[in-house]
Amino acid sequence: MIRKAGCAVQTLCGNKAFTLETYASSLHVSCCYSSAKAPQAQNLPHLPVPKLGDTLTKYLKSVRPHLNDEEFAVTSTLVKDFGAAGGIGQKLQSLLEKRAEQHTNWLADWWLSSAYLEYRDPVVVYSSPGLVFPFRTFQSEQDQLNYAAKTVMAALDYKALIDDNAIPVEMMGKSPLDMSQYKKIFGTCRIPGEKKDRLSFNDSKHITVLHNNHIFHVDLWGEDGKRLNEKQIAEQLKKVKDASKTPAENPVGILTSENRNAWGRAYEIMKKDSVNASSLADVERSLAVLCLDAAAGLRGAGGKDRQQNIAAAQTIHGGGSGANGGNRWFDKTIQFIVGADGVTGLTYEHSPAEGQPIAVMTDFIIDYIDKNKSSDQAASSSPLPPVALKFNVNDDVKASINTAKDNLDRLVADLELNCFTFDKYGKSFIKSQKMSPDSYLQMAMQYAFYRLHKTPGAHYESAATRMFAGGRTETIRSCSVESVEFARAMLGPAPPKEKVVAMQRAVNAHKNYTVQALQGLGVDRHLLGLKLVAIENGIDLPKLYLDAGYVKSAHMRLSTSQVACRCDGFMCYGPLVADGYATCYNPRERDVNFATSAFNSHPATSCQSYRAALEDSLKDMHDVLLQATPSKL
Ligand code: COA
């Protein structure tokens, strides 16, 4: 089982030969706003199995910053033995290639299971990201309800586009990206199991609405089969609020924040009661969840970053059992959050989709709201009233709810968040320096970590592998020999020109790895595949996987992901390891939204210090670039 937070020189992808050069100049994701529809079957190339020798060469290079000379010598020998003719690596490689011949995507099922469904820590903090929408000012309850209704309308319009295959196909350079993740946004629910969860895919005509920890079924189509309009949805939500003026005695939703085994056990107990079984099925089938939250202290909170931290907390964990933590159903892929004092956003359960499709949907919703769009469909003349879902809570389940409350509160207290907008510059400046903005920002994080901890930080960045059928992500190992040399150069007395040369080398090394990762030619998924194929075939785990090189280079103290949206929002999530930081960022032309987090319980990390180091690093990089540029006067 692996932990997911929280994203070739020449190879064959399906029948098509791709080269580094083909993609190096045009790697960014863009939406193709032609009328082209995402076809049902996109006929994309299959995820390649990298050549063993290529992966091992890359791997050895990537472990170097984390090892002393003796350790590196041991790792080098292990790598040599692993890859030798007749060695275990070759055997595993041929088993993996055989699997790839039989699967469209040799990794997809394994990844879904090992990164998500078999992962037992809570989805809250450890897996599900929050996405904070731009702030709103609600003067009244009606404002909150109108905004929530508008959000639902926008989501329904977006779902209609998905159903019609009308979402513009995203492109990476000239390559279309796999659009199948969009189909899993609405109606999906993760169902807890005692050892492994499963995903349930549904289509329906209702949403689940939570208020004061009560759970309601709200139909969005009337008895006449017509969709409700915005005013009618707001009226339904008002009925929900009026029917739940005091907090629910048993906040059943908080169970979804639990360790998955514990929730799986409670779920089985609950399901034995037919009333519970029917309510659970109702939530499972709904299109999405809408959380009408209590105020979270946004007003009078102070500056924008204070507000960003409050909103991030609400979207990641709901602020604990005393706040909105019980007003959630974390198993649902999408939970829209509309707080009484203007915190708006969503929480998404990560297993069916990556952050980027969710961010694209967010831009659609924000655009819809800001332009005050509405549907031209005839409204229903017979809306159905909301139905409060009933749960019979026996003593066992009550005890589980109390444990879940305690566990969530501990987790909430442990998560340090520091979110901010870096507004000194954004992508435009970096592009003007002829560098990749993403690689530059990644190197700023490397530099920040090194200046703070005086040691290289193993560093995970998600790269989309959606050029391939069913593709999800590959890891970019952002910590490199070059990134460490760059950080050292920046901290030393070298003249600006030398620092800039070190920066360019580090940025280029990162970009080079990115190009390969986007083509499915990184180190991590391939090594995972070889490991899983060994396990499936009853083969002892090769020593390579127990070695310091593997362990240290995969202990990702920086877990990072670019999730880009046009609006002034951002995604946020928890760190991957106890002594690590998370950094999710939304780079825009003139600023960058950063969401960083760490665990308070670990003495080695401080999010506040990391944020300061990151801001200082970004400023230093800007300054040396300007100092190294000859004056035009
Ligand atoms: N000089 C000038 N401009 C450059 C440049 C250079 N050397 N290199 C890149 N640029 C430009 C690009 O053309 C692009 O321009 P645009 O803003 O007009 O589109 C822009 O800078 C951004 O490119 P870059 O920063 O290099 O990369 P990217 O935005 O494509 O991001 C990844 C790279 C890896 C983040 C992206 O490919 C990806 O995989 N995203 C998905 C990650 C993910 O899955 N996250 C969710 C996990 S839950």
Side-chain angles (χ1 to χ4, degrees):
M1 199 188 319
I2 54 167
R3 167 82 208 282
K4 168 73 187 83
C7 351
V9 178
Q10 206 224 327
T11 185
L12 289 175
C13 306
N15 297 325
K16 236 167 151 185
F18 290 121
T19 60
L20 263 185
E21 293 70 32
T22 320
Y23 286 95
S25 58
S26 56
L27 270 173
H28 57 283
V29 178
S30 62
C31 282
C32 169
Y33 285 102
S34 67
S35 57
K37 288 185 171 188
Q40 289 285 4
Q42 288 187 275
N43 205 17
L44 296 173
H46 291 193
L47 183 72
V49 177
K51 286 182 187 152
L52 184 61
D54 290 350
T55 295
L56 293 178
T57 306
K58 258 174 253 169
Y59 171 68
L60 210 48
K61 191 165 186 274
S62 76
V63 301
R64 188 65 190 99
H66 308 289
L67 303 179
N68 62 31
D69 290 349
E70 284 123 73
E71 287 171 328
F72 187 64
V74 173
T75 302
S76 301
T77 307
L78 284 173
V79 164
K80 204 168 153 211
D81 294 349
F82 187 79
I88 183 66
Q90 300 280 2
K91 183 173 176 187
L92 297 177
Q93 175 77 2
S94 66
L95 287 169
L96 189 59
E97 284 168 357
K98 218 169 265 161
R99 178 182 165 94
E101 281 164 20
Q102 291 153 1
H103 291 74
T104 309
N105 186 313
W106 59 264
L107 180 62
D109 294 349
W110 273 346
W111 184 249
L112 182 63
S113 291
S114 60
Y116 299 107
L117 302 180
E118 288 168 2
Y119 181 63
R120 302 287 80 199
D121 276 343
V123 293
V124 179
V125 174
Y126 295 109
S127 175
S128 295
L131 203 160
V132 174
F133 291 1
F135 295 111
R136 306 286 161 173
T137 312
F138 299 147
Q139 305 293 355
S140 63
E141 178 186 72
Q142 196 55 48
D143 280 357
Q144 180 194 14
L145 298 180
N146 290 346
Y147 182 93
K150 196 99 187 161
T151 305
V152 172
M153 290 289 285
L156 287 181
D157 275 16
Y158 199 69
K159 179 180 182 294
L161 292 176
I162 294 171
D163 291 347
D164 279 358
N165 299 310
I167 302 291
V169 178
E170 286 163 63
M171 305 293 288
M172 185 164 300
K174 291 193 175 127
S175 305
L177 299 186
D178 182 289
M179 298 295 284
S180 60
Q181 290 178 26
Y182 284 87
K183 297 266 181 200
K184 298 171 187 165
I185 294 177
F186 292 101
T188 308
C189 196
R190 181 167 168 160
I191 308 298
E194 284 191 49
K195 290 198 173 119
K196 183 178 176 180
D197 295 355
R198 65 182 171 85
L199 283 178
S200 163
F201 299 105
N202 309 276
D203 200 2
S204 65
K205 299 214 175 287
H206 72 279
I207 53 169
T208 304
V209 179
L210 283 98
H211 175 248
N212 254 334
N213 305 341
H214 294 271
I215 307 174
F216 291 84
H217 166 116
V218 174
D219 278 300
L220 298 175
W221 274 259
E223 233 173 347
D224 55 4
K226 291 197 179 127
R227 207 171 98 174
L228 273 57
N229 66 18
E230 191 179 320
K231 189 163 164 281
Q232 290 170 323
I233 296 174
E235 283 164 4
Q236 301 303 310
L237 300 180
K238 174 79 175 121
K239 286 180 194 157
V240 164
K241 275 198 125 179
D242 288 346
S244 53
K245 288 198 163 141
T246 52
E249 190 189 341
N250 295 303
V252 177
I254 209 158
L255 289 166
T256 62
S257 72
E258 255 288 26
N259 166 285
R260 303 305 296 178
N261 288 341
W263 170 214
R265 276 194 295 275
Y267 184 86
E268 286 307 316
I269 294 171
M270 284 177 77
K271 241 180 41 177
K272 286 185 187 139
D273 179 304
S274 63
V275 170
N276 292 338
S278 149
S279 296
L280 290 167
D282 199 280
V283 177
E284 179 178 333
R285 282 197 305 268
S286 70
L287 293 178
V289 165
L290 170 67
C291 308
L292 295 173
D293 272 7
L298 199 66
R299 281 197 204 120
K304 185 180 176 189
D305 50 359
R306 269 286 296 140
Q307 295 191 328
Q308 287 171 321
N309 288 340
I310 289 171
Q314 290 301 313
T315 61
I316 294 178
H317 50 54
S321 66
N324 294 302
N327 207 43
R328 297 282 180 275
W329 198 271
F330 286 106
D331 291 353
K332 210 70 192 158
T333 302
I334 294 292
Q335 298 189 79
F336 293 108
I337 292 165
V338 182
D341 56 355
V343 170
T344 61
L346 59 84
T347 307
Y348 95 92
E349 199 288 298
H350 208 324
S351 50
E354 298 304 328
Q356 203 53 50
I358 309 293
V360 173
M361 177 186 74
T362 295
D363 273 331
F364 178 92
I365 291 174
I366 298 302
D367 198 50
Y368 190 103
I369 293 169
D370 288 347
K371 293 191 177 141
N372 199 17
K373 292 185 186 169
S374 62
S375 173
D376 50 10
Q377 291 179 26
S380 167
S381 57
S382 48
L384 294 156
V387 179
L389 298 181
K390 290 200 173 58
F391 290 93
N392 292 327
V393 173
N394 66 20
D395 287 348
D396 281 346
V397 176
K398 208 171 260 184
S400 299
I401 290 175
N402 287 334
T403 309
K405 281 183 184 173
D406 291 347
N407 288 342
L408 180 64
D409 291 345
R410 253 195 301 275
L411 194 53
V412 167
D414 197 16
L415 189 72
E416 183 190 6
L417 283 163
N418 204 317
C419 307
F420 62 100
T421 300
F422 179 80
D423 59 6
K424 306 282 180 286
Y425 61 93
K427 285 199 293 184
S428 300
F429 169 74
I430 306 169
K431 286 191 235 175
S432 76
Q433 297 297 314
K434 309 225 175 330
M435 283 188 265
S436 147
D438 187 69
S439 297
Y440 178 100
L441 293 170
Q442 285 286 316
M443 291 307 99
M445 294 170 214
Q446 272 291 296
Y447 174 25
F449 186 93
Y450 193 89
R451 82 193 286 164
L452 199 57
H453 294 287
K454 311 285 180 273
T455 184
H459 184 158
Y460 181 118
E461 183 193 358
S462 316
T465 49
R466 288 171 55 210
M467 280 201 297
F468 305 102
R472 299 277 308 245
T473 56
E474 171 60 276
T475 306
I476 302 168
R477 292 188 159 208
S478 294
C479 182
S480 61
V481 170
E482 293 86 349
S483 74
V484 177
E485 282 171 357
F486 157 60
R488 287 190 182 132
M490 289 298 285
L491 292 169
K497 272 197 175 152
E498 278 179 34
K499 292 183 178 181
V500 168
V501 169
M503 188 191 307
Q504 284 163 339
R505 275 202 199 115
V507 166
N508 289 341
H510 180 271
K511 188 70 190 177
N512 188 20
Y513 201 114
T514 302
V515 172
Q516 298 178 51
L518 291 169
Q519 295 175 72
L521 302 173
V523 161
D524 290 79
R525 303 296 180 270
H526 189 195
L527 289 185
L528 174 69
L530 296 171
K531 182 177 167 181
L532 293 177
V533 91
I535 293 168
E536 270 198 8
N537 286 278
I539 298 169
D540 285 348
L541 205 58
K543 285 192 192 122
L544 183 89
Y545 291 95
L546 307 167
D547 168 53
Y550 187 80
V551 173
K552 289 186 183 178
S553 68
H555 184 76
M556 299 295 184
R557 297 194 67 188
L558 284 159
S559 165
T560 69
S561 190
Q562 180 189 135
V563 179
C565 50
R566 288 192 313 277
C567 70
D568 189 12
F570 60 91
M571 197 168 266
C572 43
Y573 52 80
L576 201 52
V577 294
D579 59 346
Y581 300 97
T583 313
C584 197
Y585 53 106
N586 176 16
R588 307 194 310 156
E589 289 306 323
R590 301 195 181 286
D591 59 27
V592 186
N593 282 339
F594 284 103
T596 74
S597 67
F599 289 116
N600 285 312
S601 54
H602 205 286
T605 50
S606 153
C607 218
Q608 204 183 346
S609 308
Y610 172 65
R611 175 224 172 126
L614 186 53
E615 286 188 293
D616 288 346
S617 299
L618 287 163
K619 282 182 211 144
D620 289 354
M621 289 164 76
H622 177 266
D623 290 351
V624 295
L625 281 165
L626 293 193
Q627 285 158 15
T629 309
S631 165
K632 289 194 177 127
L633 293 174

